[in-house]
């Protein structure tokens, strides 16, 4: 976590919220903050300088620099992501259709950056980090470590707890006359899988309170419900073999568009 944070700004209200969040995150991590504006249109007026001034006023202890690029904003932020501990973006920018819940630039950066990408969205209580709770969604223990480690490091910075969520389904329950009184092996397997996903991080951070939550149903439903009382929701994304970037599945898309708190997309594989 010693690499700088990069935050993309475009003068929109969501990017201002992302800037404030990034300043607080940089202060907690003890790293510099790079304020980046990229555009293929005319180069910016005074709002980049104003963004830097706002960041310095918010926390003078954070070293803040700025960069203006004549480039596609998504491509620029993806490229710079290789140099960053994380890239922070707002949920929408200028020119997005009102009905789009996540802007195209933010979605593209989340899908392709090498570093973790944090999309600042959700309720003010979550953005202000009032809940002192980080939620991480897990599935396959072989792939969960990067997201789980990220969640525990964030919880350490915030003085927060971690809730590890694993959703499972048992289609046979939909069969008429399913014997619900029998021991639920699916639930037991789910609990064992969750424990395996969280074991190493829990051992490495014995001071962090950990809550384990196995939920029967769709992962997106469970994670969106958990996001209502979280300051950050962390999910993983798998890289495509032989391709640049990550594959964002339906769960990633659901939380990026609908979560009630900021969302961190952490690459794995």
């Amino acid at each position: 976590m010693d690499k700088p944070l990069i935050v993309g700004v475009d003068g929109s209200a969501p990017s201002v919220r992302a800037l404030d969040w990034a300043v607080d995150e940089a202060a907690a991590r003890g790293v510099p903050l790079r304020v980046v504006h990229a555009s293929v249109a005319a180069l910016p007026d005074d709002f980049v300088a104003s963004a830097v001034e706002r960041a310095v006023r918010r926390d003078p202890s954070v070293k803040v620099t700025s960069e203006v690029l004549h480039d596609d904003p998504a491509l620029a932020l993806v490229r710079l992501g290789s140099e960053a501990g994380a890239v922070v973006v707002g949920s929408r920018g200028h020119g997005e259709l009102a009905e789009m819940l996540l802007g195209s630039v933010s979605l593209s950066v989340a899908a392709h950056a090498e570093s973790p990408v944090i999309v600042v969205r959700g309720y003010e209580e979550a953005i202000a980090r009032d809940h002192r709770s980080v939620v991480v969604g897990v599935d396959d223990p072989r792939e969960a470590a990067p997201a789980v480690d990220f969640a525990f490091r964030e919880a350490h910075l915030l003085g927060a707890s971690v809730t590890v969520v694993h959703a499972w389904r048992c289609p046979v329950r939909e069969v008429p006359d399913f014997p619900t009184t029998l021991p639920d092996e699916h639930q037991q397997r789910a609990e064992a899988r969750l424990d395996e996903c969280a074991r190493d991080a829990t051992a490495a951070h014995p001071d962090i309170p950990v809550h384990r939550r196995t939920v029967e149903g769709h992962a997106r439903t469970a994670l969106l419900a958990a996001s209502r009382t979280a300051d950050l929701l962390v999910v993983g994304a798998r890289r495509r073999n032989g391709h640049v970037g990550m594959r964002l599945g339906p769960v990633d898309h659901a939380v990026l568009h609908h979560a009630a708190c900021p969302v961190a997309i952490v690459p794995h594989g």
Side-chain angles (χ1 to χ4, degrees):
M1 281 197 171
D2 55 348
K3 291 183 178 181
L5 287 184
I6 290 176
V7 58
V9 298
D10 62 4
S12 65
S15 83
V16 172
R17 297 170 81 197
L19 173 67
D20 290 348
W21 195 96
V23 172
D24 296 344
E25 180 74 5
R29 293 189 182 198
V31 299
L33 177 66
R34 293 172 64 183
V35 178
V36 175
H37 172 76
S39 175
V40 295
L43 292 179
D45 38 26
D46 297 333
F47 80 81
V48 174
S50 298
V52 172
E53 292 175 5
R54 181 184 180 95
V56 172
R57 286 197 306 270
R58 187 171 181 89
D59 196 322
S61 71
V62 177
K63 180 182 178 181
V64 183
T65 59
S66 63
E67 191 168 355
V68 176
L69 302 171
H70 190 262
D71 198 355
D72 177 85
L75 292 178
L77 291 172
V78 168
R79 184 176 67 252
L80 293 172
S82 63
E83 308 168 12
V87 175
V88 182
V89 292
S91 57
R92 280 196 305 275
H94 288 304
E96 301 293 350
L97 296 176
E99 62 268 22
M100 291 182 66
L101 299 176
L102 182 69
S104 58
V105 171
S106 300
L107 183 59
S108 183
V109 175
H112 295 97
E114 293 182 18
S115 68
V117 174
I118 301 165
V119 177
V120 179
R121 57 166 300 112
Y123 300 131
E124 290 301 328
E125 296 89 345
I127 294 175
R129 311 181 196 223
D130 290 341
H131 296 297
R132 290 292 184 265
S133 173
V134 175
V135 172
V136 56
V138 299
D139 186 18
D140 189 338
R142 296 168 298 179
E143 300 175 341
V148 172
D149 291 344
F150 187 93
F152 273 78
R153 290 197 300 268
E154 285 293 314
H156 176 74
L157 295 176
L158 292 174
S161 64
V162 173
T163 298
V164 187
V165 178
H166 173 61
W168 59 278
R169 296 186 67 197
C170 180
V172 75
R173 285 191 186 275
E174 300 171 6
V175 176
D177 301 324
F178 175 76
T180 57
T181 57
L182 294 178
D184 196 335
E185 295 182 2
H186 290 274
Q187 173 71 25
Q188 294 171 6
R189 288 196 199 101
E191 291 173 355
R193 175 170 283 197
L194 187 153
D195 287 341
E196 185 177 355
C197 289
R199 183 180 300 123
D200 291 344
T202 301
H205 299 275
D207 56 322
I208 295 178
V210 180
H211 309 285
R212 294 166 171 80
R213 187 179 301 173
T214 57
V215 180
E216 183 179 5
H218 293 286
R220 60 181 178 271
T221 303
L223 293 175
L224 290 175
S227 76
R228 298 188 190 111
T229 54
D231 300 311
L232 184 67
L233 172 59
V234 183
V235 291
R238 187 201 306 271
R239 294 189 182 280
R240 292 188 183 99
N241 293 329
H243 292 77
V244 176
M246 300 179 293
R247 178 173 69 243
L248 295 183
V251 173
D252 299 315
H253 278 276
V255 298
L256 284 170
H257 284 83
H258 300 289
C261 69
V263 176
I265 300 289
V266 180
H268 64 73

